[in-house]
Amino acid sequence: MADKSLIGRSLGVTTADVEKGRLRFFAKAIGETDPIYTDEAAARSAGHPGLPVPPSFLMCLEAEGRDSDHIVEGIFGFDLGRILHAEQGFTYHGMAYAGDVLTFDTRVVDVYEKKGGALTFVVQETRVTNQDGRHIADIRSSLVQR
């Protein structure tokens, strides 16, 4: 069972390549109609150097290279059959584009209970930087075991 001793623990550093095809697929999957996310000429006309990363796509990239089952079961002590995604939020400091290589540095920042211990929450924060070391975003997400 997750406890406060996890606070501050690193969940590792991973990297992910931002590929044009995946950006286009994701934009289509979420119903994004702005052509800057699918058409390089439209993106350049709008002042972007290439296809920009749709905001929530960072969550997809952050999960790459991680053994999520090991983190949830082995580190948090959660039962996979009893967890829910509680929340996610983003603070953006810059744009990411197709061709970038993003680095994700994730840590546990809080563990708490609600409903007299019936719900246990683990909150993670991830710092995202690009290949030049530029701070792109911070991701905050929570899992809950019921």
Side-chain angles (χ1 to χ4, degrees), residues 24-37:
R24 288 183 179 117
F25 181 81
F26 184 80
K28 182 179 178 181
I30 64 171
E32 179 60 66
T33 59
D34 188 333
I36 68 165
Y37 293 106

Side-chain angles (χ1 to χ4, degrees), residues 31 42-43 45-46 54 64 72 82 96 101-102 139-140 144:
S45 291
E64 289 187 9
V72 171
R82 297 181 55 217
V101 177
L102 300 180
I139 303 170
R140 186 176 174 95
V144 59

Side-chain angles (χ1 to χ4, degrees), residues 76-132:
F76 297 169
F78 282 177
D79 175 350
L80 283 174
R82 297 181 55 217
I83 64 165
L84 298 168
H85 175 74
E87 75 169 318
Q88 69 187 29
F90 305 88
T91 303
Y92 295 96
H93 306 285
M95 294 289 294
Y97 296 96
D100 283 351
V101 177
L102 300 180
T103 299
F104 299 83
D105 184 358
T106 304
R107 298 192 175 283
V108 175
V109 296
D110 200 5
V111 176
Y112 62 94
E113 294 180 344
K114 286 189 174 184
K115 303 249 182 196
L119 301 173
T120 303
F121 292 79
V122 176
V123 182
Q124 305 166 68
E125 286 186 356
T126 302
R127 180 182 172 91
V128 183
T129 54
N130 70 8
Q131 65 278 358
D132 300 320

Side-chain angles (χ1 to χ4, degrees), residues 6-101:
L6 290 173
I7 296 172
R9 182 170 179 167
S10 172
L11 297 178
V13 177
T14 62
T15 61
D17 295 328
V18 181
E19 301 169 28
K20 286 188 280 191
R22 291 185 63 202
L23 293 179
R24 288 183 179 117
F25 181 81
F26 184 80
K28 182 179 178 181
I30 64 171
E32 179 60 66
T33 59
D34 188 333
I36 68 165
Y37 293 106
T38 56
D39 182 322
E40 289 182 81
R44 291 188 203 297
S45 291
H48 297 285
L51 296 178
V53 172
S56 58
F57 189 64
L58 290 177
M59 285 297 290
C60 298
L61 293 172
E62 190 272 337
E64 289 187 9
R66 293 198 190 283
D67 183 348
S68 297
D69 290 352
H70 170 69
I71 291 171
V72 171
E73 292 178 309
I75 296 174
F76 297 169
F78 282 177
D79 175 350
L80 283 174
R82 297 181 55 217
I83 64 165
L84 298 168
H85 175 74
E87 75 169 318
Q88 69 187 29
F90 305 88
T91 303
Y92 295 96
H93 306 285
M95 294 289 294
Y97 296 96
D100 283 351
V101 177

